């Protein structure tokens, strides 16, 4: 039995097959996320590459049919926009081809085929059920660890797939993979067009972004060049809760002005936070694995 999970984020929606395209006064009331990594793991024993991928898409269609029907039933209570999300494209591709889309053009081609297939099916569902189905790049605040724990329990530890405490956010290049902002943008940008229900591009930078306007502008220019809909720049910043002093010095734990312990402000799940005490183990593991894009 395949599991899906629901979340309450990524509410912005623009696409409308039945009227004016606008985000004003509209949003995704519901979306359901498909664990595409699990589907890929299940077909890993198939030796022939073409047959393995054919079986994957067969399973994907089965789950997408169930997902669309489930959203149709939920719609009877909610009556607005619906979205189908996905998580772990990187791990899914590793299971299918041995490499993720950030390190292999072949995997990138397959990744776009997979997400494009989900988008095409969402368009079909819009016509069948007369609702606005969209595709959402699930941010994975809670599912990142939940899906992985379940799959590890079922399939064991699989290198590159279930050997971490999280699956990679939607169609992102894995946080641990060293690459330049430009490479990350080129790989992730095509998925933004396919995920009209919500997406994000982020770059992890080193140092104090408040005094590095040129780097910020370069990243903004990348977003413009590759037509990405939403993005952010991640950088850590120390803040003294007592006197308000801030800096970006690494490894500095105490405020040089008053001696109080710093809190480190950082982006962990789309939000800037000063403590990680309340975040789940999957997101903390992802935070630990992040590398600077340079």
């Amino acid at each position: 039995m395949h599991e899906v999970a629901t979340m309450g984020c990524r509410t912005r929606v623009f696409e409308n097959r039945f009227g004016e395209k606008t985000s004003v006064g509209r949003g995704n009331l519901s979306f359901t996320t498909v664990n595409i990594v699990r589907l890929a793991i299940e077909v890993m024993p198939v030796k022939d590459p073409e047959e393995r991928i054919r079986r994957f898409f067969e399973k994907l269609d089965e789950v997408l049919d169930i997902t669309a029907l489930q959203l149709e039933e939920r719609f009877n209570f909610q009556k607005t926009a619906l979205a189908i999300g996905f998580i772990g494209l990187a791990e899914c591709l590793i299971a299918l081809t041995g490499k993720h889309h950030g390190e292999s053009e072949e995997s990138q081609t397959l990744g776009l085929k997979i997400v494009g297939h989900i988008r095409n099916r969402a368009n079909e569902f819009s016509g069948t059920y007369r609702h606005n189905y969209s595709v959402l790049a699930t941010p994975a605040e809670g599912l990142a660890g939940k899906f992985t724990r379940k799959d590890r329990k079922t399939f064991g530890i699989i290198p590159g797939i279930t050997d971490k405490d999280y699956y990679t956010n939607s169609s992102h290049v894995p946080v641990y993979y060293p690459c330049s902002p430009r490479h990350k943008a080129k790989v992730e940008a095509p998925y933004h067009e396919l995920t009209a229900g919500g997406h994000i591009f982020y770059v992890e930078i080193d140092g104090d972004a408040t005094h590095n306007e040129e780097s910020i502008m370069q990243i903004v220019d990348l977003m413009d060049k590759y037509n990405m809909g939403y993005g952010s720049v991640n950088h850590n910043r120390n803040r003294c809760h007592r006197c308000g002093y801030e800096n970006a010095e690494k490894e500095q734990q105490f405020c040089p002005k008053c001696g109080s312990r710093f809190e480190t402000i950082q982006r962990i799940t789309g939000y800037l936070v000063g403590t990680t005490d309340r975040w789940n183990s999957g997101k903390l593991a992802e935070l630990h694995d992040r590398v600077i894009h340079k």
Side-chain angles (χ1 to χ4, degrees):
M1 179 179 179
H2 300 293
E3 295 188 49
V4 295
T6 58
M7 298 179 64
C9 191
R10 302 286 177 95
T11 57
R12 180 184 181 274
V13 65
F14 179 77
E15 293 295 321
N16 188 355
R17 291 170 60 85
F18 309 110
E20 179 186 2
K21 294 184 178 182
T22 177
S23 61
V24 178
R26 303 174 64 238
N28 287 319
L29 181 63
S30 299
F31 64 85
T32 296
T33 296
V34 177
N35 183 358
I36 58 175
V37 184
R38 186 181 184 92
L39 302 180
I41 293 173
E42 289 178 344
V43 300
M44 284 181 70
V46 179
K47 300 301 181 183
D48 181 72
E50 292 186 3
E51 175 64 13
R52 181 166 63 248
I53 292 173
R54 188 195 69 78
R55 291 280 299 278
F56 169 82
F57 278 101
E58 185 178 85
K59 285 177 173 288
L60 179 59
D61 275 332
E62 292 175 1
V63 177
L64 289 173
D65 285 334
I66 295 171
T67 302
L69 180 59
Q70 180 257 353
L71 285 171
E72 161 69 10
E73 293 176 351
R74 291 178 67 189
F75 183 81
N76 291 329
F77 298 93
Q78 297 167 322
K79 303 295 183 182
T80 188
L82 308 167
I84 298 175
F86 64 93
I87 188 174
L89 179 65
E91 288 79 15
C92 169
L93 292 171
I94 292 172
L96 291 173
T97 70
K99 294 183 178 180
H100 60 72
H101 51 321
E103 60 184 344
S104 164
E105 292 186 6
E106 176 188 2
S107 294
Q108 169 73 338
T109 299
L110 179 57
L112 291 171
K113 182 178 180 180
I114 291 171
V115 179
H117 184 81
I118 297 174
R119 172 63 184 267
N120 289 337
R121 292 304 309 278
N123 290 342
E124 290 177 14
F125 299 145
S126 293
T128 300
Y129 300 109
R130 302 299 296 172
H131 303 321
N132 282 306
Y133 284 95
S134 61
V135 180
L136 177 141
T138 300
E141 276 89 347
L143 295 181
K146 180 179 180 180
F147 275 168
T148 312
R149 287 192 300 273
K150 286 181 175 292
D151 290 347
R152 186 187 297 129
K153 184 176 181 180
T154 303
F155 302 105
I157 297 177
I158 305 174
I161 304 173
T162 63
D163 56 350
K164 305 181 299 299
D165 289 334
Y166 61 90
Y167 285 151
T168 299
N169 186 327
S170 57
S171 52
H172 286 191
V173 172
V175 297
Y176 57 79
Y177 183 68
C179 65
S180 68
R182 182 174 298 276
H183 178 74
K184 191 173 191 290
K186 288 179 66 175
V187 173
E188 295 182 10
Y191 296 96
H192 282 216
E193 183 178 353
L194 300 172
T195 53
H199 47 242
I200 188 172
F201 166 75
Y202 80 89
V203 173
E204 201 84 20
I205 69 171
D206 199 7
D208 191 346
T210 61
H211 300 294
N212 197 356
E213 295 180 2
E214 183 178 349
S215 293
I216 301 297
M217 285 306 302
Q218 287 175 352
I219 294 169
V220 173
D221 288 343
L222 278 177
M223 292 181 58
D224 178 61
K225 178 179 179 178
Y226 292 107
N227 195 31
M228 288 184 282
Y230 185 66
S232 72
V233 177
N234 295 350
H235 64 102
N236 294 346
R237 188 164 182 83
N238 301 320
R239 182 180 186 277
C240 178
H241 64 87
R242 185 175 180 179
C243 71
Y245 177 82
E246 296 184 10
N247 69 23
E249 295 296 325
K250 286 186 175 181
E251 310 300 332
Q252 189 170 16
Q253 298 181 355
F254 298 95
C255 175
K257 292 188 67 175
C258 71
S260 297
R261 179 176 289 276
F262 272 140
E263 63 176 4
T264 301
I265 300 173
Q266 53 198 332
R267 189 182 305 278
I268 185 169
T269 59
Y271 310 100
L272 293 174
V273 299
T275 176
T276 58
D277 295 344
R278 292 172 292 177
W279 302 107
N280 63 63
S281 60
K283 294 307 294 184
L284 291 176
E286 182 205 275
L287 180 65
H288 178 269
D289 287 349
R290 291 179 185 177
V291 297
I292 301 298
H293 299 116
K294 55 186 178 181

